[in-house]
Amino acid sequence: MDQRAAPVLCAIDDCIEKFTADRKQTISPFIERHFSVSETIQIQKRHLPLDLILSPVNALWSIPYLMIKKAVETSDKIGWPVLNPLMDVLPASFKTGYQKDIEKLIATELVSEDVLMDYIRKDPVLGPMVVSGAIELDQRKIRTEVLKEIEKYTSSQAMISDVCSSLLTLAAGWIYFGDKSLGVMGLGSRFARKMAREKASSNFFLGEKVGSVFYGVFPPAPTNTQIVMATLAVGALLTVCSLFVSVMIDPARKRFGMHDKKLHSLVDNLEERLFIALKKDLKSHLRQPAPMKQAG
């Protein structure tokens, strides 16, 4: 089995190296095509309704997720790894339409498994073996490995946007109320109380200035309607700001070379992942006895 496997594994390694080298040549053109301001806006426009909902949800989720992740990592370091599977279940964020489009573009234009299969079919060792059926390559398994690495890449990129959105929310609470711990609900409640106080002060029988002092000591309680409306208004405003951040962040990463570095890392990681997966697959296949040739 080892004698049969050695040249095949060397050929697989060679094909994957050619594939990754070829794909690295396409990274710069890919970034130029898809991470400009105009292209980012065009992609975002196609998914605006869905992303208007998911953007604040992800912003709210990003900080609790990071806290959970840190707790799980700490638990693992002290010798209690029972919580580790939790990170396989919890999503880092909920995919926006923009994120899904970027994943699709990377999968089809940058690291398509079809390109790797072309190298394999053209290889002098592997090509004839694939055609004759002497070895079988599971293209679905290759695609699974590609998609796993792409999802890892886009999740880390999306996390940056979500954290920025969360920081924007916290900054708004600090600027307006001097409180660095307010979320969307907290901001909505504070704004509702402020509006209730201003409305009551303007209707005070001794005048607005005296009313402002009086209701500063005895603040009126806002109605549930005021709280809901204020929270919705705050959420809508922060969502618009979050979308603006998400539109601008990819061109900013492009400007500072962050996309180039991350996509090169994606291809490097994929090279290792593909070799391990295909090596395991081929060794399993080659353990099977070679088919007996029938006498002609």
Side-chain angles (χ1 to χ4, degrees):
M1 188 269 291
D2 290 340
Q3 291 180 346
R4 294 173 60 206
V8 174
L9 293 177
C10 287
I12 281 289
D13 191 25
D14 185 53
C15 287
I16 293 175
E17 283 187 2
K18 289 178 180 178
F19 166 74
T20 54
D22 176 81
R23 295 298 86 197
K24 286 181 179 181
Q25 296 297 318
T26 67
I27 288 176
S28 293
F30 179 84
I31 293 172
E32 289 298 323
R33 283 197 305 275
H34 299 299
F35 292 123
S36 65
V37 174
S38 59
E39 180 64 16
T40 301
I41 291 174
Q42 287 301 316
I43 297 175
Q44 192 68 262
K45 281 169 62 178
R46 295 199 292 266
H47 306 286
L48 192 57
L50 174 64
D51 291 359
L52 279 171
I53 298 171
L54 289 179
S55 183
V57 170
N58 283 332
L60 290 170
W61 172 239
S62 61
I63 291 179
Y65 175 83
L66 289 175
M67 293 174 65
I68 294 170
K69 182 179 180 181
K70 187 66 177 177
V72 171
E73 289 175 351
T74 302
S75 174
D76 183 56
K77 287 178 181 178
I78 63 175
W80 199 53
V82 69
L83 295 177
N84 289 353
L86 185 63
M87 300 315 298
D88 295 328
V89 178
L90 289 178
S93 63
F94 303 96
K95 289 184 183 180
T96 62
Y98 176 80
Q99 185 180 352
K100 290 178 181 178
D101 263 14
I102 293 299
E103 286 185 352
K104 184 177 179 181
L105 288 169
I106 294 174
T108 56
E109 295 187 20
L110 191 62
V111 288
S112 171
E113 72 274 9
D114 292 334
V115 177
L116 175 58
M117 291 303 298
D118 285 341
Y119 275 108
I120 290 173
R121 293 187 187 101
K122 293 175 182 177
D123 185 81
V125 175
L126 296 175
M129 298 179 76
V130 170
V131 171
S132 67
I135 61 170
E136 296 178 3
L137 295 177
D138 189 344
Q139 193 164 346
R140 287 177 301 177
K141 182 175 290 187
I142 297 174
R143 182 168 182 78
T144 297
E145 297 301 325
V146 170
L147 293 179
K148 282 181 181 177
E149 198 58 42
I150 292 173
E151 187 167 345
K152 180 180 172 183
Y153 164 82
T154 54
S155 294
S156 66
Q157 299 295 91
M159 181 59 69
I160 297 172
S161 300
D162 297 336
V163 169
C164 287
S165 298
S166 297
L167 291 176
L168 184 65
T169 304
L170 298 176
W174 180 58
I175 292 169
Y176 285 102
F177 302 109
D179 191 333
K180 300 177 183 178
S181 62
L182 292 176
V184 174
M185 296 294 292
L187 283 171
S189 179
R190 290 287 186 94
F191 275 116
R193 289 202 292 269
K194 182 180 179 183
M195 289 189 296
R197 178 182 169 184
E198 290 174 352
K199 183 177 180 180
S201 297
S202 64
N203 295 327
F204 195 65
F205 71 100
L206 292 177
E208 185 174 349
K209 289 185 178 179
V210 177
S212 180
V213 174
F214 177 81
Y215 287 116
V217 179
F218 304 102
T223 65
N224 289 334
T225 300
Q226 287 176 319
I227 293 174
V228 170
M229 295 302 294
T231 301
L232 289 175
V234 169
L237 180 60
L238 289 174
T239 296
V240 171
C241 293
S242 296
L243 285 175
F244 176 76
V245 169
S246 66
V247 166
M248 296 307 299
I249 201 163
D250 272 334
R253 289 178 189 142
K254 173 190 171 187
R255 172 68 179 82
F256 293 105
M258 296 172 68
H259 276 306
D260 187 80
K261 181 178 179 180
K262 286 289 187 180
L263 289 173
H264 272 84
S265 178
L266 182 155
V267 175
D268 285 336
N269 293 340
L270 185 59
E271 178 180 9
E272 182 178 355
R273 183 186 284 272
L274 285 172
F275 182 71
I276 292 172
L278 290 178
K279 176 182 176 182
K280 187 181 297 184
D281 191 31
L282 285 169
K283 276 195 170 183
S284 175
H285 182 74
L286 290 171
R287 282 194 189 100
Q288 302 172 10
M292 298 289 293
K293 291 186 178 181
Q294 295 181 354

